[in-house]
Amino acid sequence: MDGTMADPENFYRKRRTESRVATPLLSVIVPVYNEEDVIDIFLSETRAVLDAAVTSGEISAFEFVFVDDGSRDRTAELLAERLSADIPGRLVGLSRNFGKEAALSAGLSHVKGDIAVILDADLQDPPDLIHQMIDGWRAGYDVVYGVRVDRSSDTFMKRSTAGMFYRLFNGLANIDMPANAGDFRLIDRQVVDGLLQLPERNRFMKGLFAWVGYPSMALPYERPARRAGSGKWNYWKLWNFAIDGLTAFTTMPLRVWLYGGATVAALGFAYALYLIIRVLLYGSDVPGYASLMVAVLFFSGVQLLSIGMIGEYVARLFNEAKQRPIYLVQDVVEGQELANGSGEKDV
Ligand code: UDP
Ligand code: MG
């Protein structure tokens, strides 16, 4: 059972359906890092969907919020060009590459819409699902998140490690994070404001999305392969990402070591007692090199491991304690005024 799925009879959700604005302004948040190859195809496909949504009266207007996460290719230049030509919204240029999680936070603080949709630039999040997401929002859900039904575009290795991660996370953390949901989702303004209130520097967005709560709906979809350009993840990055996520949402590993340590200490104490009594009754014996070595090696291993575990949390405390901003913006390029569907500037 999906923990974040709201009860269909949810009281608040019903109230929301009555108070929703008739035609919301939609902001589309797109983090981009070295995406020059996909920008034009992304814009034309997404634009078509959004124009249709305006024409059919689903939304009043839309804006793009591109966050250039320190691209080293022509991404920023191309986007600024398209924005000044006929694309409504803005380009937020970060001062260097801060990573997708930070870029999303930057995007969230630059949206003006009543609702926001988060899309990857590589068209792995199919834009035509936006229609269904808006329907979900109208039905009172503040979060409509995409769930990958089939991960066949991923390798077996990636699928099984991802599955293990979700089981581990949901087993240990006190929040329920839906499996196979990425950042692709529609969120209400209320959720945007909620996310912006979270002060932590470690932005494990999937976890933060789950943490804020609100009536949420899952929208299954098939995730296509990246359209052009190349992905930026490798296993080492994913592994570290998983550790960041786990340590940000649960202190259970520390507790496991507490109980593990207590058990080992109790056994050690009992054995020591036994040895003392044996020496008192029968005198001391010299042999015992093997057992001594085993004990020394075993316990020093356990100690190093537990110090490492504590270190992970101390490192996180260190990072949070510095209170550095999550990202720095070097420039904001404003595009055209809000589009009314035809892309013409409102005068
Ligand atoms: N991205 C980013 N900063 C980074 C890495 C990626 O803003 O440091 C953006 C990237 O441009 C894309 C999205 O995040 O729009 C997803 O990236 P990618 O396709 O590499 O990830 P995957 O689809 O494998 O999750
Ligand atoms: Mg991708």
Side-chain angles (χ1 to χ4, degrees), residues 120 122 124 223 226:
D120 280 1
D122 56 9
Q124 283 194 285
R223 190 164 169 87
R226 173 178 258 280

Side-chain angles (χ1 to χ4, degrees), residues 89-337:
R90 64 201 60 85
L91 166 68
V92 180
L94 303 188
S95 60
R96 63 169 171 85
N97 179 253
F98 284 91
K100 185 184 180 188
E101 311 295 303
L104 284 179
S105 300
L108 287 169
S109 53
H110 285 85
V111 300
K112 298 190 174 151
D114 304 302
I115 50 179
V117 169
I118 297 167
L119 288 183
D120 280 1
D122 56 9
L123 288 169
Q124 283 194 285
D125 304 331
D128 40 299
L129 285 178
I130 291 176
H131 295 298
Q132 280 157 280
M133 289 185 161
I134 296 171
D135 290 344
W137 176 78
R138 245 177 240 301
Y141 292 102
D142 288 331
V143 179
V144 185
Y145 58 92
V147 174
R148 273 172 264 179
V149 277
D150 119 272
R151 296 190 61 144
S152 54
S153 65
D154 286 337
T155 59
F156 172 76
M157 175 83 171
K158 175 133 184 218
R159 259 178 293 157
S160 42
T161 46
M164 263 156 53
F165 172 72
Y166 287 114
R167 273 196 301 279
L168 192 66
F169 188 98
N170 287 331
L172 294 180
N174 321 325
I175 52 164
D176 256 327
M177 189 172 67
N180 299 325
D183 299 319
F184 178 35
R185 59 189 66 218
L186 177 148
I187 53 180
D188 184 79
R189 180 82 234 177
Q190 225 178 337
V191 180
V192 173
D193 293 339
L195 288 166
L196 290 176
Q197 278 180 45
L198 302 179
E200 54 247 80
R201 325 280 113 181
N202 173 12
R203 311 300 286 188
F204 182 69
M205 290 308 286
K206 289 181 199 210
L208 298 183
F209 284 134
W211 186 91
V212 292
Y214 293 104
S216 307
M217 186 186 115
L219 185 65
Y221 75 106
E222 278 180 31
R223 190 164 169 87
R226 173 178 258 280
R227 199 63 74 83
S230 57
K232 277 105 199 155
W233 290 99
N234 55 41
Y235 278 111
W236 179 240
K237 276 195 189 169
L238 280 175
W239 167 256
N240 285 307
F241 187 55
I243 292 182
D244 278 344
L246 277 172
T247 47
F249 282 92
T250 174
T251 50
M252 197 55 102
L254 293 176
R255 181 134 335 147
V256 169
W257 276 108
L258 178 67
Y259 292 124
T263 312
V264 170
L267 290 175
F269 187 72
Y271 186 59
L273 210 62
Y274 160 74
L275 286 180
I276 290 168
I277 293 169
R278 205 178 64 172
V279 168
L280 288 178
L281 293 183
Y282 305 108
S284 66
D285 53 353
V286 176
Y289 171 76
S291 55
L292 212 60
M293 258 334 251
V294 167
V296 167
L297 290 176
F298 175 74
F299 287 111
S300 48
V302 167
Q303 277 172 22
L304 284 179
L305 207 66
S306 56
I307 290 172
M309 182 81 76
I310 296 169
E312 278 296 316
Y313 286 92
V314 174
R316 261 127 198 112
L317 276 177
F318 173 65
N319 281 331
E320 298 293 334
K322 280 184 290 186
Q323 294 275 320
R324 284 188 188 150
I326 299 162
Y327 56 85
L328 288 177
V329 175
Q330 63 170 316
D331 201 358
V332 179
V333 182
E334 288 291 336
Q336 291 297 312
E337 296 294 307

Side-chain angles (χ1 to χ4, degrees), residues 30-33 35 38-39 42 66 119-125:
V30 195
V32 284
Y33 177 52
E35 299 285 9
V38 284
I39 282 175
F42 170 82
F66 289 100
L119 288 183
D120 280 1
D122 56 9
L123 288 169
Q124 283 194 285
D125 304 331

